[in-house]
Amino acid sequence: MILVIDFGSQFTQLVARRVRELSIYSEIVPFKNATERIEELKRQNILSGIVFSGGPHSVYENNSPKIDLDLEKIGVPVLGVCYGLQLINYMLGGKVAPSKNREYGFEKIIVEKNISSLNPLFKIKDIEENIVWMSHGDEIQELSSKLTVDSVTRNNVISSFHHKELPIFGVQFHPEVEHSKYGREIIKQFVEEICQDKKEWDSSLQIERAVELIKNQVEKEGKDTQVICALSGGVDSCVAAVLTQKAVGDKLLCLFINNGLLRKNEYEDVLARFKKDLNLNVKGVDASELFLSRLKGVSDPETKRKIIGNTFIDVFESETKDLPNAKFLVQGTLYPDVIESISIHGTSVTIKTHHNVGGLPEKMKFKLIEPLRELFKDEVRRLGAEMGIPQDMLARHPFPGPGLGIRVLGEVTKERLQIAREADAIFIEELKKQNLYNTTWQAFVVLLPVSSVGVMGDGRTYESVAAIRCVSATDGMTADWSKLPYEFLAHVSSRIINEVKGINRVVYDISTKPPATIEWE
């Protein structure tokens, strides 16, 4: 297995995910526990390599995350990514300092000629000059005498190195993200060629493992224990529900809450499909008035998320108060939810709170079951396909737990929700008509908290602005805006303005993630 040591990067889980894509098991451990875990895995003779993740800190800071380890006696190959590269240089006696020219986003690197004979990471055709994804404000000021430079950027910043005698490597860029041209190949070279790891991991093992863990967790509470599943209508909760049903059978009761923040006709359509196609025991609960009353007058996005998260739990507890044996709540929480919500290892920077992670109250009736917590969206879809879930359900675009509550920017009202709902339905309908829906990762309409002047029928209007957001991605950790045809965008804009009363202007979001997030709130 490959051990990924987390120093606080938003992409740590993505590193592990890239390794797993190669059918090789990977595990993440916080830097504070890394030394102990390394020794344990070495005793078991199953550790084949280590990756130091990136992170938001500077290695020269007093309180920056470090690891008490002798790199040159570790006994397995090591790869440092971004902060990991800087830390390796620092640990081997080199110096790191703030960059004169910070590098964020796409950057060109120039690989030293014939370096592939010395560094197996670069035994890749046509890698001499290529584009990578950078995200750093520090750089190597003085290279350790034990290291050799393999490549530099256009600013002459060291972008990779290797140890002169040992299998220790570093890259300043992020090979784990889609934007690094040869990133996957570099990780493959490290894992397969340098670490010589065996391909012994596949997603079907995740199903067996999750079923067994859920079954054991529930049985410990007694044979009459019931499990409640929080269905949102999306892929994640759907797969989590089917997975849990495999483990506990008729002990599972699914609740589908209408929070008043769903898309057009979603409550009725999804409820019917869960019962018919998946044979789940589902109860629908219309709590839209409660959610909207609690959101009244609230504009701050973090406050909205936490109100929605707390209200979800309140509704669940209310609906299950007459079920004394209901002790567990299943949620479709994924890795990206956890990464962006909370500093899970004490080093990651909080980006935003997800309703089913950081939005939960500290005290609640249920214990959580989160069988997908370590997976990314495409891995979840593969699991769902293996369990026989219909493809059209698995192909649905991600929909946030807070729903339209975070796509109606500013205060959420019935009127503004209806405007957003109708505009969004038009956009999705047209994407499907033009066979563009399945070629994009996520698409939706955001109702902005601003109005603009317009002219309709020779009269002045002063109405809302709608923003179209459509992105391409593999896992949601990074995303690029979709290059939709101009004619298509013009048609969608025309339909929305003509058919949705309350909108007189449509704009298209052309921001990547990072620096933006996919959702606006």
Side-chain angles (χ1 to χ4, degrees):
M1 62 167 286
I2 301 294
L3 186 67
V4 182
I5 300 178
D6 182 16
F7 290 98
S9 172
Q10 303 297 330
F11 301 136
T12 298
Q13 282 80 357
L14 191 50
V15 176
R17 149 71 187 305
R18 293 289 179 246
V19 175
R20 281 188 262 163
E21 285 178 346
L22 299 169
S23 299
I24 292 168
Y25 183 68
S26 60
E27 177 184 298
I28 297 168
V29 63
F31 74 95
K32 293 179 180 179
N33 309 116
T35 303
E36 180 181 342
R37 184 61 175 151
I38 288 170
E39 292 305 316
E40 181 182 357
L41 294 173
K42 287 175 70 175
R43 285 196 297 272
Q44 297 175 35
N45 198 31
I46 59 174
L47 180 64
S48 56
I50 296 171
V51 178
F52 284 9
S53 84
H57 303 275
S58 298
V59 297
Y60 47 79
E61 295 174 345
N62 291 332
N63 296 321
S64 63
K66 296 184 178 70
I67 182 170
D68 184 15
L69 196 67
D70 188 337
L71 281 177
E72 296 179 296
K73 294 182 180 179
I74 201 167
V76 296
V78 178
L79 171 64
V81 175
C82 196
Y83 177 88
L85 165 138
Q86 297 169 12
L87 182 60
I88 289 174
N89 181 61
Y90 181 86
M91 292 172 72
L92 294 177
K95 293 182 180 180
V96 176
S99 301
K100 294 179 181 178
N101 298 300
R102 298 186 302 172
E103 297 173 328
Y104 293 99
F106 291 109
E107 181 58 49
K108 185 177 182 180
I109 65 169
I110 298 99
V111 180
E112 294 288 330
K113 290 183 179 180
N114 302 319
I115 200 65
S116 61
S117 62
L118 299 174
N119 185 348
L121 282 183
F122 293 110
K123 283 186 178 179
I124 300 167
K125 186 179 179 182
D126 300 326
I127 200 173
E128 284 74 19
E129 292 190 14
N130 67 90
I131 301 299
V132 297
W133 186 263
M134 291 287 194
S135 183
H136 67 102
D138 292 335
E139 64 179 77
I140 293 176
Q141 184 182 61
E142 184 179 311
L143 187 69
S144 165
S145 60
K146 299 177 180 181
L147 302 172
T148 296
V149 175
D150 296 329
S151 67
V152 296
T153 70
R154 290 174 294 184
N155 296 316
N156 205 36
V157 173
I158 295 173
S159 55
S160 63
F161 60 55
H162 72 273
H163 193 284
K164 293 177 180 178
E165 298 177 2
L166 298 169
I168 298 173
F169 310 87
V171 291
Q172 182 63 74
F173 53 91
H174 286 272
E176 69 273 24
V177 304
E178 288 288 333
H179 307 305
S180 289
K181 185 177 180 180
Y182 294 104
R184 290 173 185 263
E185 288 88 343
I186 287 172
I187 292 175
K188 183 178 181 180
Q189 285 294 113
F190 177 72
V191 172
E192 294 185 1
E193 299 301 320
I194 297 172
C195 298
Q196 293 287 303
D197 211 326
K198 297 178 182 179
K199 296 186 176 186
E200 297 179 341
W201 185 91
D202 63 68
S203 58
S204 62
L205 296 177
Q206 288 286 76
I207 297 175
E208 298 170 11
R209 177 174 172 266
V211 168
E212 191 64 28
L213 287 173
I214 294 169
K215 187 182 296 184
N216 292 339
Q217 190 176 358
V218 173
E219 286 179 353
K220 284 181 181 179
E221 296 293 326
K223 62 179 181 179
D224 296 325
T225 300
Q226 286 184 286
V227 180
I228 310 299
C229 182
L231 283 178
S232 68
V235 175
D236 309 330
S237 63
C238 171
V239 173
V242 174
L243 198 55
T244 304
Q245 187 180 50
K246 282 182 171 291
V248 301
D250 58 8
K251 292 180 180 180
L252 175 67
L253 169 63
C254 297
L255 295 179
F256 183 37
I257 307 297
N258 180 9
N259 58 7
L261 308 170
L262 300 175
R263 290 166 289 196
K264 189 175 181 178
N265 300 326
E266 189 163 24
Y267 181 58
E268 297 78 12
D269 293 347
V270 171
L271 195 58
R273 290 216 64 184
F274 276 131
K275 291 179 179 179
K276 178 184 175 183
D277 294 342
L278 300 180
N279 198 30
L280 290 172
N281 179 22
V282 185
K283 176 183 178 182
V285 180
D286 188 352
S288 54
E289 293 297 331
L290 175 61
F291 278 86
L292 294 181
S293 67
R294 292 188 177 183
L295 288 169
K296 186 176 181 180
V298 178
S299 297
D300 178 71
E302 279 296 283
T303 304
K304 284 196 287 187
R305 285 175 176 272
K306 288 181 178 177
I307 287 173
I308 293 167
N310 288 339
T311 305
F312 262 115
I313 297 301
D314 290 344
V315 172
F316 274 109
E317 291 187 339
S318 175
E319 289 296 320
T320 58
K321 63 182 178 182
D322 295 326
L323 300 173
N325 294 322
K327 299 178 182 179
F328 290 96
L329 172 62
V330 178
Q331 293 194 137
T333 308
L334 302 188
Y335 255 172
D337 300 334
V338 176
I339 298 165
E340 293 188 345
S341 293
I342 50 177
S343 301
I344 54 174
H345 301 314
T347 55
S348 304
V349 176
T350 299
I351 303 299
K352 59 186 177 183
T353 301
H354 286 257
H355 84 284
N356 56 352
V357 186
L360 294 175
E362 292 182 6
K363 294 182 180 179
M364 63 179 184
K365 171 184 175 181
F366 304 106
K367 297 178 181 179
L368 286 179
I369 292 177
E370 297 175 307
L372 312 177
R373 190 179 177 92
E374 297 179 356
L375 301 179
F376 286 82
K377 180 74 72 174
D378 60 323
E379 293 177 306
V380 171
R381 287 192 170 111
R382 284 201 294 271
L383 256 63
E386 289 187 27
M387 294 189 294
I389 297 174
Q391 183 57 36
D392 67 314
M393 297 183 77
L394 294 175
R396 295 189 77 198
H397 285 185
F399 187 61
L404 298 182
I406 58 169
R407 291 180 178 173
V408 172
L409 273 56
E411 184 180 2
V412 178
T413 65
K414 278 187 178 181
E415 294 73 23
R416 300 192 75 222
L417 282 168
Q418 187 59 24
I419 293 172
R421 197 173 279 125
E422 293 296 331
D424 185 79
I426 290 172
F427 183 34
I428 300 303
E429 177 188 329
E430 290 296 335
L431 282 171
K432 291 179 177 179
K433 277 185 181 179
Q434 299 299 320
N435 295 318
L436 293 169
Y437 183 83
N438 290 332
T439 63
T440 57
W441 165 265
Q442 196 168 0
F444 53 92
V445 170
V446 178
L447 190 64
L448 305 186
V450 294
S451 298
S452 71
V453 174
V455 179
M456 291 183 178
D458 294 327
R460 178 185 185 275
T461 62
Y462 190 60
E463 295 179 331
S464 296
V465 178
I468 293 174
R469 179 70 158 150
C470 188
V471 299
S472 57
T474 300
D475 43 56
M477 291 302 297
T478 61
D480 195 8
W481 61 279
S482 299
K483 280 64 175 181
L484 298 176
Y486 291 152
E487 295 81 4
F488 172 81
L489 291 172
H491 178 61
V492 169
S493 173
S494 178
R495 278 201 63 188
I496 290 174
I497 291 173
N498 285 314
E499 297 177 32
V500 183
K501 187 176 180 181
I503 294 176
N504 69 357
R505 190 181 300 269
V506 175
V507 298
Y508 190 44
D509 183 349
I510 58 170
S511 309
T512 61
K513 175 187 179 180
T517 55
I518 295 177
E519 298 288 346
W520 280 44
E521 287 192 344

